[in-house]
Amino acid sequence: MGKIDVSRAIKDPGQAYAFETDVTLEPMEVLGDPVGFREVRVAGEYLSPGDARVSVKADVSATADSRCSRCLTPVTFPVTAQVDAVFDRQPDPEDPDLYSFEASTVELTDAVRDALLLELPLRVLCKPDCKGLCPVCGIDLNNGTCTCQEGAEVKNPFSALKDIVLDDEEV
Ligand SMILES: [Zn+2]
Ligand SMILES: [Zn+2]
């Protein structure tokens, strides 16, 4: 899984070969939020341009599991991405666009994960107008209400911040 045998391409530079595989990705954390990808399917083609290199172009589809960045509810959504990666037996460490491979097996996991992460929304939301959690009592404002925000003191969230900064300066 996640590996392709590219020996045919290396023997026959310039000739493209089709492939299809599944990739398993470990759960990860992105900007403090847990992110997992399931059902990661990769389909495309690989070819060797020579020079002990292999280029892979493929479509990736997956199901992403994360959580709403406002209310922390679990959110599941489909993601598609494109892999357009070059694998080199001795990649230049200065070149972040090159992935390494050994013998005649290309391991797609890193390239697929990088491609999927690029397609994640900057902020995952359960719905566009999610009201989030009350910053004072933590209640989910989509399901309930509280009176925290009615007090004059929290009318402007930055006024509290300003007080803290001023206090620090006095000390
Ligand atoms: Zn939400
Ligand atoms: Zn509250």
Side-chain angles (χ1 to χ4, degrees):
M1 277 223 302
K3 292 187 170 110
I4 43 179
D5 178 353
V6 295
S7 46
R8 288 186 303 176
I10 290 169
K11 280 187 204 130
D12 192 5
Q15 174 66 46
Y17 293 93
F19 75 95
E20 215 175 308
T21 186
D22 293 341
V23 171
T24 305
L25 296 177
E26 297 291 318
M28 59 203 99
E29 209 170 86
V30 180
L31 299 172
D33 286 319
V35 175
F37 293 106
R38 287 182 281 129
E39 294 152 13
V40 184
R41 306 229 157 81
V42 188
E45 52 184 38
Y46 58 88
L47 72 78
S48 172
D51 304 334
R53 282 190 174 187
V54 173
S55 79
V56 175
K57 287 188 181 10
D59 293 317
V60 183
S61 69
T63 301
D65 295 306
S66 186
R67 66 181 184 193
C68 175
S69 62
R70 287 188 195 148
C71 73
L72 311 182
T73 301
V75 184
T76 294
F77 54 98
V79 195
T80 57
Q82 269 78 46
V83 167
D84 188 352
V86 177
F87 295 80
D88 193 308
R89 284 209 179 112
Q90 287 172 314
D92 180 350
E94 305 282 302
D95 188 342
D97 294 329
L98 285 180
Y99 297 90
S100 66
F101 79 105
E102 282 167 19
S104 54
T105 303
V106 161
E107 162 65 70
L108 291 170
T109 309
D110 289 348
V112 167
R113 183 186 47 232
D114 291 350
L116 285 170
L117 286 175
L118 278 180
E119 298 300 325
L120 278 187
L122 213 52
R123 280 275 167 247
V124 175
L125 295 176
C126 61
K127 53 187 177 188
D129 60 343
C130 172
K131 297 190 184 82
L133 305 178
C134 169
V136 180
C137 70
I139 193 174
D140 185 342
L141 297 171
N142 298 301
N143 301 328
T145 51
C146 60
T147 53
C148 304
Q149 307 280 21
E150 286 170 13
E153 284 171 33
V154 279
K155 226 187 259 167
N156 176 356
F158 292 103
S159 63
L161 198 67
K162 215 163 81 191
D163 287 347
I164 294 165
V165 174
L166 284 177
D167 282 353
D168 275 349
E169 277 173 0
E170 282 162 18
V171 171

